Structure formats: structure tokens, C-alpha cells
Amino acid sequence: MTKIKICGLSRRCDIGFVNRCGPDYAGFVVNVPKSRRSVTPEEAQALSALLSPDIIPVGVFVNERAEVVASMLNDGIIFAAQLHGSEDEDYIGDLRRRTGGILIQAFSVASPSDMERAAASPADYVLLDSGGGTGRTFDWRQIKGFKRPYFLAGGLGADNLPAALAELRPFAVDMSSGVETGGVKDPAKIEAAVAAVRRYS
């Protein structure tokens, strides 16, 4: 069954929305000032504490200090860290020494070399999208036949999820702007997206 991640949660009501719909993962964008969805580690902790125990909290980071990421994992604020910056093998190795948390490395897919880098990533999972936070899909033909488990992201919502699942069968789908209206999470869109995946799976 394809897993579901709803990302960019920043309000208490967002937690209520996902608790009712029951995705597998909930994402918090931590310390990324350019993102309107950014929260502090303290805010992420408060929001994560409200999550249903069945939902895995994920911290989304961009070139954050490894000790900050590891601390949030080791303190149980998040159970997985999603890396969206220029983090390399050395950075991931450093995190491995500091924590046993799940690591997800994001890759923007524009060329075959991007897929080669994703295939070689030492992270537990990779996330494939069109470029963090753009809300646009990309040419899915570029990732057909990709061998390792991955999160598919980029412009996903209830309208195009059936096609994505039929064409690619990813390990998980990751949604943020596709389940928003006016820049904030929309409970009806979250519910429709989760239902679309559950119906297909």
C-alpha cells in the first residue's frame, strides 16, 4: 500500500485535519525562513505532540546543522528527517553516527544524472520532485523503473494521484501545496487526497 505524507503543517488545526484523515507521515518544515510553512524546533515539538500515535512526524530541513537534526530525532520530536539542501554523504554519515532516525534525501529531477545521484544516496529513502516547494509536477517518465523506494512529490493532489499511482507505484506520495487553499491546509483537499490513495491502494 502506498504511504501518504502531508507536509508543511504549521498550525494546531492542521494537526486536527491529519489526525482525522490518517496519513502515514506528517511533515514540519523546520527553520527555513523563506518558507511560509516554517516552524521553529519548539513549535514543531508542540505540534508533533498533538499527532495521532499512528502518524510518523517528519522534520524537513535545508542545510541545518547536523546536531540540530539529530537532537530532534533523539528527543522523539520527529522520527524521520527529510533533507532538502546540499547535504552530502559526509553530512548523512555524521547524522548516522549521531542518531538512528530515518533519513530521507530529496532530489530535484531534471536529468539522468539526478537519478544516478538519487540511486546512490546513503539515505534510507529518497524523495523525487521538481524542486522543493514549487508545487509543480515534473516529467514522470524520467523516473520510471527507478529501483529503490522513494517518495514522489511535486504538485500532487486528489486530481492527479490516481495517474501517479498507476504509472509509478511509488513507496509514498508527499503533498503540501496540492492540499492547500489560499496558502493554508484545506481539510477537504487533505481528505480527498488521502481517500484517492486509499482507494487505489
Side-chain angles (χ1 to χ4, degrees):
M1 180 180 290
T2 300
K3 306 292 185 183
I4 303 168
K5 177 168 170 279
I6 304 297
C7 199
L9 307 179
S10 60
R11 306 173 300 165
R12 290 175 65 93
C13 61
D14 295 340
I15 304 301
F17 302 157
V18 297
N19 282 347
R20 286 197 294 274
C21 295
D24 302 282
Y25 302 89
F28 305 102
V29 179
V30 181
N31 284 349
V32 184
K34 68 178 183 178
S35 172
R36 68 175 184 273
R37 307 177 184 100
S38 182
V39 297
T40 65
E42 295 75 21
E43 289 169 332
Q45 181 175 20
L47 292 169
S48 176
L50 301 174
L51 277 174
S52 164
D54 298 327
I55 301 174
I56 296 171
V58 181
V60 178
F61 303 93
V62 178
N63 299 324
E64 181 60 86
R65 289 178 296 129
E67 55 265 33
V68 173
V69 179
S71 176
M72 292 185 68
L73 286 164
N74 292 336
D75 290 345
I77 298 170
I78 55 174
F79 292 174
Q82 184 173 310
L83 309 174
H84 268 270
S86 56
E87 299 90 353
D88 58 14
E89 287 188 20
D90 289 341
Y91 180 97
I92 292 174
D94 187 16
L95 273 183
R96 293 278 192 218
R97 289 187 289 273
R98 294 172 182 268
T99 180
I102 298 167
L103 304 181
I104 306 164
Q105 188 173 17
F107 293 87
S108 299
V109 178
S111 70
S113 63
D114 297 322
M115 299 308 300
E116 292 171 7
R117 291 190 306 112
S121 170
D124 299 293
Y125 299 101
V126 295
L127 180 145
L128 306 176
D129 71 4
S130 59
T134 65
R136 297 192 303 268
T137 58
F138 62 96
D139 186 353
W140 294 335
R141 290 174 296 182
Q142 297 180 84
I143 64 175
K144 271 196 167 181
F146 188 60
K147 299 301 184 185
R148 66 181 294 178
Y150 66 93
F151 287 69
L152 177 67
L156 296 175
D159 57 339
N160 60 6
L161 278 167
L165 296 173
E167 187 171 343
L168 300 172
R169 299 186 178 276
F171 167 76
V173 290
D174 188 327
M175 292 166 280
S176 186
S177 60
V179 290
E180 291 179 347
T181 298
V184 296
K185 293 295 180 281
D186 183 323
K189 289 184 177 180
I190 294 173
E191 183 176 6
V194 171
V197 177
R198 298 293 188 233
R199 279 197 301 272
Y200 188 87
S201 300

